[in-house]
Amino acid sequence: MRALLAERLLAQVMGWDPGDVARERPILQALADLKYDGYQQFSPGMRFVESLALWLAQFQEASERQIAYDFVKRRLVFFSHEEMAHFAAIVFPDFIRPLLIDRAVSATDLRHYQVGAIVATDAFKTLQTSSLFFGLSDGARIDLFRRSNRDLSHEQIFQSYDLPRQKLEELASRFKPINGQPAIRALVLLDDFTASGTSYFRRENGDFTGKIAKFLKRLREDESWKALVRLPDTLIIVALYVATATALQRIRNAATECLGEEASSFVVTAVQSLDDGIRVTSSSDAFAALAENYYDASLEDEHTRKGGTDLKFGFAGGGLPVVLHHNTPNNSLFLLWAEERSSVRGLFPRISRHKGDA
């Protein structure tokens, strides 16, 4: 009954006749059933079609509602729970393992295409067993990553990259340098999504900060880590499930600047790379005009201002039409994620990490 009422409300908001409803219903039902009803930040009882109807109703002109509806149908990029789980499951065999194979080739007389022979060598086996895997956030789904990769020991995989000194000492007792090589041959940092890369590398007061920048500094300065790794002999892989092309390039550039000659040991890869062509940033874009006309600046604070722009097109002007099933990135368009405390309704309301700024 609730779904029927939501459909009627949507038809009323859009001014659809029975023919329009018959044409649009199968599309909306497919979008809702396959993906959008799975958004985890909807309020209790809320579903996609109802949220869509209420979201569209805030636009004053029929032409604006049509622009917004067409945007959702044709340009929105939504990553479901199932898709992200799939990315977490395949990131090792399809993206990380080939990098380890390439690294192992240099220690053999084999060719890159002789994969079966390479993985049977002691060089590859030692490299794989002396690799450590870390989550950069909860989104890395380390539990699923662990269960999906039986070739890896659970003792190689960690929920967080911030290991206590006692754990580092345990690793030092278990992993030993062999033939002049460091005890740990590869470090893999896993995360689900980045739009700008600034949470990993950014400049503050002339110095690099961010998750990866701090981790690299720790590797180079902490004696417990220095007993385990040695750059550039230790390979560092940043493996992301979803990332924009801009973020990937920014991470590479920052790593090169941060590591200098040791940057040869740093690799960043993504299961799904998002082309910059999906961004909405031009004022000539019809939906961009809506983003500007229906903007509420009340959500700006000291955290969002670090992006250097307002939030019309999201943090740092990201302009992304992207929604993740567990939360909408703040780099996406404001109209998509506007929080409940805003005067503007978001289609997929975002839950902010910074609760104290309300």
Side-chain angles (χ1 to χ4, degrees):
M1 177 62 71
R2 189 182 181 99
L4 180 60
L5 291 175
E7 184 180 290
R8 289 177 179 174
L9 175 60
L10 178 60
Q12 180 180 353
V13 168
M14 294 300 294
W16 287 344
D17 59 30
D20 295 325
V21 173
R23 183 185 65 251
E24 300 298 329
R25 179 188 290 125
I27 299 172
L28 292 172
Q29 286 180 339
L31 291 173
D33 292 344
L34 294 175
K35 287 196 172 186
Y36 300 163
D37 276 351
Y39 185 62
Q40 295 178 359
Q41 302 303 336
F42 281 144
S43 58
M46 180 70 71
R47 293 293 183 267
F48 167 65
V49 174
E50 182 180 356
S51 181
L52 177 63
L54 295 172
W55 182 67
L56 291 170
Q58 71 186 326
F59 301 115
Q60 298 176 2
E61 304 294 333
S63 60
E64 293 177 332
R65 294 191 286 273
Q66 189 62 50
I67 289 169
Y69 180 72
D70 289 342
F71 180 87
V72 172
K73 275 206 324 180
R74 304 178 190 282
R75 299 171 67 183
L76 185 67
V77 179
F78 187 104
F79 289 100
S80 68
H81 176 273
E82 291 76 14
E83 286 172 316
M84 296 302 288
H86 178 64
F87 293 164
I90 69 170
V91 67
F92 177 72
D94 291 0
F95 292 85
I96 299 170
R97 191 167 178 265
L99 294 172
L100 299 181
I101 290 173
D102 286 344
R103 186 81 163 187
V105 166
S106 60
T108 72
D109 296 326
L110 298 171
R111 304 286 186 176
H112 284 79
Y113 57 81
Q114 295 176 289
V115 175
I118 295 169
V119 298
T121 63
D122 290 338
F124 176 79
K125 292 176 181 178
T126 300
L127 176 57
Q128 180 168 284
T129 57
S130 62
S131 297
L132 301 182
F133 301 80
F134 304 94
L136 284 169
S137 74
D138 291 343
R141 292 167 173 78
I142 291 298
D143 56 337
L144 178 58
F145 177 85
R146 182 184 292 115
R147 293 195 300 271
S148 300
N149 297 290
R150 297 182 181 179
D151 290 344
L152 302 176
S153 165
H154 287 192
E155 296 178 346
Q156 295 176 257
I157 305 170
F158 301 88
Q159 192 74 31
S160 171
Y161 62 98
D162 189 13
L163 296 183
R165 189 168 302 279
Q166 180 180 354
K167 176 57 68 173
L168 291 173
E169 292 173 354
E170 291 177 7
L171 290 173
S173 66
R174 182 150 48 94
F175 294 96
K176 300 297 183 182
I178 301 175
N179 299 326
Q181 292 295 317
I184 300 300
R185 305 289 182 86
L187 297 172
V188 182
L189 303 174
L190 301 159
D191 212 351
D192 61 340
F193 176 78
T194 184
S196 65
T198 55
S199 65
Y200 304 140
F201 281 106
R202 63 181 180 274
R203 287 279 193 182
E204 288 186 3
N205 300 319
D207 295 323
F208 276 114
T209 188
K211 293 180 181 179
I212 297 178
K214 291 177 181 178
F215 183 68
L216 293 177
K217 183 177 181 180
R218 204 172 300 157
L219 297 184
R220 302 166 90 181
E221 297 180 0
D222 188 294
E223 293 300 325
S224 296
W225 272 113
K226 288 167 68 174
L228 290 166
V229 306
R230 184 177 69 242
L231 302 180
D233 297 316
T234 298
L235 177 65
I236 299 174
I237 301 172
V238 177
L240 306 164
Y241 305 156
V242 181
T244 65
T246 293
L248 293 173
Q249 191 57 52
R250 179 171 291 155
I251 294 169
R252 293 185 185 108
N253 292 344
T256 298
E257 188 175 351
C258 183
L259 291 172
E261 295 181 356
E262 296 173 347
S264 60
S265 66
F266 186 95
V267 180
V268 58
T269 187
V271 178
Q272 177 65 65
S273 176
L274 300 176
D275 188 89
D276 288 335
I278 70 170
R279 294 179 182 273
V280 178
T281 56
S282 171
S283 58
S284 62
D285 187 293
F287 192 78
L290 290 183
E292 292 181 336
N293 293 338
Y294 290 86
Y295 179 60
D296 177 8
S298 68
L299 295 183
E300 295 179 18
D301 55 40
E302 72 234 43
H303 302 290
T304 67
R305 294 187 189 101
K306 291 180 180 179
T309 68
D310 57 33
L311 295 174
K312 293 175 184 176
F313 299 107
F315 181 80
L320 293 175
V322 173
V323 176
L324 305 180
H325 70 93
H326 65 278
N327 209 9
T328 306
N330 66 358
N331 304 83
S332 289
L333 295 150
F334 174 80
L335 282 177
L336 293 179
W337 60 261
E339 298 171 18
E340 292 183 355
R341 59 192 173 97
S342 168
S343 63
V344 177
R345 173 179 287 274
L347 177 58
F348 296 97
R350 169 180 168 81
I351 300 298
S352 174
R353 290 178 300 170
H354 304 294
K355 297 296 184 182
D357 302 318

